Amino acid sequence: MVEENRTSTAEFILLGFSDHPHLQLLISVTVFLGFLISVLGNFMFLILVCADPHLQKPMYFFLSNLSFLDICNTSVTLSTLLKSLLTGNMFISFSVCMAQLYFFMSLTTTEVILLTAMAYDRYAAICNPLRYVLIMNRRVCVLLASFSWIIGFVGTMPQAIMTSQFSFCRSNEINHFFCDLTVLMKLSCSDLLNLEIVVFFEGVFVVAIPFGLTLTSYSYIISNILNIHSANGRRKAFSTCSSHLTIVILFYGALICVYVRPPSMYSPKQDKLFSLLYTALIPMLNPIIYSLRNKEVIKALNKLLGTNYGMNIS
């Protein structure tokens, strides 16, 4: 019986948005444009950081890591959706599905920890400005970024390995546009207890604790900003962390909407929409958010393109 289950899951069917056939063209164009803008926007930011010496600072070092991460995550999750939309082929092999699951979980976990490191960077810049250069030296930045990537890719390995050993006897149809763990768990007829325990501890150590540290950093940041007497000083201090705070709110907001909900509120349609938000829309918006009113980034972009756009930003 187990052998039958395993051979029947040689491939899955990603249903994606097939329940909206009349919107296939609109969804295809929207997803393709989102993917293109996201990849090109983040790639352009990477070029700016590497090319301009004025952007060789801790904040831009972490943002360049975030850009590279967004390119990877968008490519991992949207590639199968684009393939099914453009070719009509909704099949995905078991091995590719497991690889997609692993890379999606790893990249998402890496982003959680990286956002925490970026929050600490903003805390050091605002709460300890005189010691900022000493606190966030090159070695510390590399260690924090490396720690984020290592924990992201090592910490999610047990979940991916355990999932790959499951039997999927209920169905081979995944009601999603990529191989998501929560959907795969619903299709499995294996005992999920051990995986659920691993997922719980993973959630505590690599999601809840980093999120708590991010909130702690911002509580100190906001308290420090409120103690600044001049309105101009408060505005300048807040502007240095407003882009990161916006990214944190969008990222965690989307994750909470998908994964932190009572079972009674579960809706595959809503899950797919919110998943599309943090796999396509947020990576597309990130380079815009932290470049929109950033004079250093705009100056570097003007220098690269030979233009004079946005130089009147105060």
Side-chain angles (χ1 to χ4, degrees):
M1 181 63 184
V2 173
E3 186 63 31
E4 286 182 355
N5 291 334
R6 292 191 185 279
T7 56
S8 67
T9 54
E11 58 184 9
F12 291 103
I13 300 173
L14 290 172
L15 298 180
F17 296 95
S18 58
D19 51 343
H20 299 289
H22 56 291
L23 297 176
Q24 288 297 295
L25 180 60
L26 176 62
I27 295 173
S28 300
V29 173
T30 303
V31 172
F32 178 75
L33 289 177
F35 174 79
L36 196 63
I37 294 171
S38 175
V39 171
L40 291 178
N42 284 289
F43 187 68
M44 175 63 75
F45 187 82
L46 284 174
I47 293 175
L48 288 178
V49 174
C50 293
D52 196 299
H54 296 96
L55 300 182
Q56 303 299 313
K57 298 177 181 179
M59 181 175 74
Y60 300 111
F61 171 76
F62 288 118
L63 286 174
S64 63
N65 272 266
L66 183 63
S67 287
F68 180 70
L69 195 152
D70 281 340
I71 292 173
C72 294
N73 213 354
T74 300
S75 301
V76 165
T77 54
L78 294 187
S79 57
T80 49
L81 176 59
L82 285 171
K83 185 195 77 170
S84 64
L85 289 172
L86 297 176
T87 67
N89 182 6
M90 297 187 293
F91 289 95
I92 181 172
S93 68
F94 181 84
S95 58
V96 172
C97 181
M98 292 301 107
Q100 186 184 54
L101 171 68
Y102 170 65
F103 281 108
F104 168 71
M105 292 191 301
S106 299
L107 291 167
T108 303
T109 302
T110 300
E111 185 162 358
V112 169
I113 302 173
L114 187 63
L115 288 175
T116 304
M118 293 169 68
Y120 177 72
D121 171 66
R122 293 300 83 205
Y123 160 79
I126 294 174
C127 299
N128 294 282
L130 299 179
R131 299 180 61 238
Y132 176 66
V133 177
L134 295 175
I135 295 173
M136 298 304 297
N137 58 63
R138 182 71 179 178
R139 180 173 175 271
V140 171
C141 292
V142 171
L143 284 174
L144 287 173
S146 300
F147 179 78
S148 301
W149 286 95
I150 291 170
I151 293 299
F153 277 80
V154 174
T156 56
M157 196 173 291
Q159 298 178 46
I161 293 174
M162 293 173 72
T163 305
S164 68
Q165 302 300 314
F166 284 167
S167 298
F168 298 90
C169 58
R170 294 192 174 120
S171 173
N172 70 332
E173 292 186 348
I174 299 176
N175 192 9
H176 215 302
F177 59 86
F178 69 94
C179 292
D180 183 60
L181 181 62
T182 54
V183 182
L184 288 171
M185 289 173 69
K186 289 180 172 63
L187 299 180
S188 175
C189 53
S190 301
D191 184 4
L192 301 177
L193 179 60
N194 291 334
L195 178 60
E196 289 173 344
I197 293 172
V198 172
V199 170
F200 173 77
F201 283 104
E202 173 92 9
V204 170
F205 287 105
V206 301
V207 178
I209 291 178
F211 181 59
L213 292 174
T214 301
L215 290 180
T216 301
S217 295
Y218 271 102
S219 66
Y220 281 105
I221 290 172
I222 293 172
S223 176
N224 189 276
I225 291 176
L226 292 177
N227 287 331
I228 298 175
H229 297 295
S230 67
N232 187 51
R234 286 195 298 270
R235 183 181 62 80
K236 287 184 176 180
F238 184 74
S239 67
T240 64
C241 65
S242 58
S243 60
H244 177 257
L245 183 59
T246 303
I247 293 170
V248 168
I249 292 172
L250 288 173
F251 178 76
Y252 278 106
L255 284 186
I256 289 171
C257 288
V258 175
Y259 297 109
V260 189
R261 288 185 302 170
S264 59
M265 295 180 63
Y266 173 76
S267 168
K269 290 184 180 181
Q270 289 182 3
D271 280 3
K272 285 185 281 188
L273 289 175
F274 284 121
S275 295
L276 200 60
L277 174 66
Y278 71 79
T279 58
L281 183 61
I282 293 178
M284 182 181 69
L285 292 177
N286 279 349
I288 299 173
I289 290 171
Y290 48 70
S291 303
L292 191 61
R293 295 190 61 80
N294 189 310
K295 288 191 293 184
E296 291 178 317
V297 174
I298 293 175
K299 184 177 179 179
L301 183 62
N302 284 327
K303 183 179 178 181
L304 183 67
L305 300 178
T307 60
N308 194 36
Y309 172 74
M311 293 308 295
N312 60 337
I313 292 177
S314 57

